Amino acid sequence: MEMDFAGRELPFVSRTGSIYFTPHPVAGMLRFRITIPRRIHKELMPFVTGEHSEEFTVLVCYWNDFPVTYVLEGNDVKLPDSIGVAIVREFLQKELKRLGAEADGVSLSCLGPSPFHANFHLAPCAEPIPDSSGIAIEKVNSKSTTILIRYDASHLKTSADAFARFSELTIAQFSYYYYQVALRHRRLDSAIRISNLTAGLIEMHQLSGFRGWVLRAFRSGRLAREISLAAISYEFETTTEQQSAKRTLDELYDKSSIALFRPWIESEIEEDFIAEHKASRETADLLEPRRLREANTLLVLLVAVISALMGATAKLLIG
């Protein structure tokens, strides 16, 4: 039996990279079967070639950190990499739109583009598996896209039993992985925002003439402070968040008999975007002295002009 896995994120869904809604349930499961005729596969996924399964079982499992969706494909046809997940996703999106479900508050939220493309294959093992779980990972490498999972057929009688056991052992790892993916998306949003602010600050300093002089004197200072404070807060919060995540990761794998997804989780945790925030903060700090010099020059000129006007007015009054 071939399985594809995909995460469905609720607080941090990616339609335009924004955060949409929270919270999500932390327990429970939604299960349904869906038939998608082969004749519309090409319409849903134009780049797909060949024949694919029509029958899919979808399980949305809600867990402590984030929900995880499993797509189990029919046994009639083997699909290439993760195509089953994509077919189901595109079909549901199309049908919900056709039915006008969003007007009734029903929508499909997903984490994308998918950060994790892998095919999980379950197969019985000819020999007994010494691990009490009855599950063994036969082929898995860091960043591999194909993972073969053997199960002890004398202990787990059917592939359905094996899947249930595998998901029981790994749901916490999947859930925590997609939680970290969501946090990474939030960090990326912050990096994009502060980069845009910094680009605006640089553009302000590139303006020539009196208008640029005035803008720098009265507006760029506030913008530079906003960038610096945002970067400092981000660096502190992200460092604290990473330390907590690594402790949680150690605890998670201390309790698990299958250490399967750790490289992927660590990769998400380590991508912190601190360098982008630091570069923005340094840019703001570098440009601030220029603004202060120009502001002081402008102040001196204004004082001189006001003094001259006052002198001229006094002379007229006296004179």
Side-chain angles (χ1 to χ4, degrees):
M1 179 176 70
E2 182 177 351
M3 298 181 296
D4 284 333
F5 295 75
R8 296 289 182 262
E9 309 305 340
L10 299 182
F12 307 105
V13 294
S14 180
R15 294 177 187 168
T16 59
S18 301
I19 298 171
Y20 277 79
F21 57 91
T22 190
H24 62 78
V26 296
M29 181 177 71
L30 173 65
R31 177 188 179 117
F32 61 92
R33 289 190 177 90
I34 186 169
T35 300
I36 306 175
R38 290 191 179 97
R39 57 184 171 79
I40 67 170
H41 288 187
K42 190 73 174 178
E43 178 184 340
L44 296 170
M45 306 290 292
F47 60 86
V48 173
T49 58
E51 291 190 352
H52 309 293
S53 178
E54 292 188 331
E55 304 296 327
F56 303 91
T57 300
V58 181
L59 300 122
V60 183
C61 299
Y62 296 99
W63 203 252
N64 294 336
D65 296 303
F66 258 62
V68 178
T69 296
Y70 301 84
V71 175
L72 283 71
E73 302 162 0
N75 292 324
D76 52 342
V77 178
K78 285 189 175 182
L79 302 183
D81 295 345
S82 301
I83 295 299
V85 173
I87 289 175
V88 170
R89 181 192 66 229
E90 294 301 315
F91 179 77
L92 290 175
Q93 288 178 336
K94 180 181 178 181
E95 289 301 299
L96 288 173
K97 183 177 180 179
R98 182 181 65 83
L99 296 170
E102 286 200 7
D104 298 323
V106 179
S107 61
L108 177 66
S109 299
C110 58
L111 180 67
S114 176
F116 185 63
H117 293 276
N119 288 318
F120 294 81
H121 301 271
L122 272 175
C125 187
E127 300 177 358
I129 295 174
D131 192 286
S132 60
S133 67
I135 296 289
I137 306 301
E138 184 170 299
K139 180 182 180 182
V140 58
N141 297 308
S142 178
K143 302 300 182 182
S144 173
T145 58
T146 301
I147 298 173
L148 182 59
I149 305 155
R150 293 288 189 182
Y151 63 91
D152 190 336
S154 63
H155 178 61
L156 300 164
K157 301 300 183 183
T158 65
S159 59
D161 292 337
F163 168 71
R165 183 60 175 148
F166 174 76
S167 61
E168 177 188 352
L169 294 170
T170 57
I171 180 64
Q173 297 175 40
F174 271 118
S175 178
Y176 194 62
Y177 170 74
Y178 284 109
Y179 173 68
Q180 287 301 326
V181 170
L183 292 182
R184 177 194 170 278
H185 277 25
R186 187 172 66 178
R187 294 194 295 269
L188 177 59
D189 283 344
S190 177
I192 293 171
R193 176 181 173 275
I194 201 167
S195 294
N196 289 337
L197 290 175
T198 306
L201 180 64
I202 293 172
E203 183 179 355
M204 199 176 293
H205 277 263
Q206 289 174 333
L207 287 174
S208 58
F210 183 74
R211 178 172 176 269
W213 200 20
V214 172
L215 284 175
R216 286 190 292 274
F218 293 102
R219 293 180 57 185
S220 68
R222 182 175 61 183
L223 182 56
R225 286 191 295 274
E226 180 183 354
I227 292 171
S228 295
L229 287 173
I232 291 170
S233 298
Y234 176 88
E235 290 173 34
F236 173 76
E237 292 170 2
T238 300
T239 300
T240 304
E241 187 179 88
Q242 284 180 317
Q243 292 171 348
S244 174
K246 289 174 182 178
R247 287 194 298 270
T248 301
L249 192 62
D250 289 338
E251 294 172 2
L252 177 64
Y253 281 93
D254 285 344
K255 300 174 184 177
S256 176
S257 61
I258 295 182
L260 183 54
F261 309 110
R262 186 160 190 156
W264 286 281
I265 299 175
E266 289 175 336
S267 176
E268 296 300 322
I269 293 172
E270 289 166 3
E271 193 163 4
D272 52 28
F273 302 101
I274 285 179
E276 288 80 358
H277 286 75
K278 184 178 179 181
S280 292
R281 176 167 54 83
E282 290 175 348
T283 300
D285 292 344
L286 180 65
L287 294 175
E288 183 63 6
R290 179 196 179 190
R291 183 198 70 84
L292 291 174
R293 288 193 302 270
E294 290 185 341
N296 288 334
T297 302
L298 183 60
L299 181 60
V300 170
L301 287 175
L302 288 174
V303 169
V305 170
I306 292 171
S307 297
L309 289 173
M310 290 178 65
T313 303
K315 185 176 179 179
L316 288 172
L317 292 174
I318 294 172

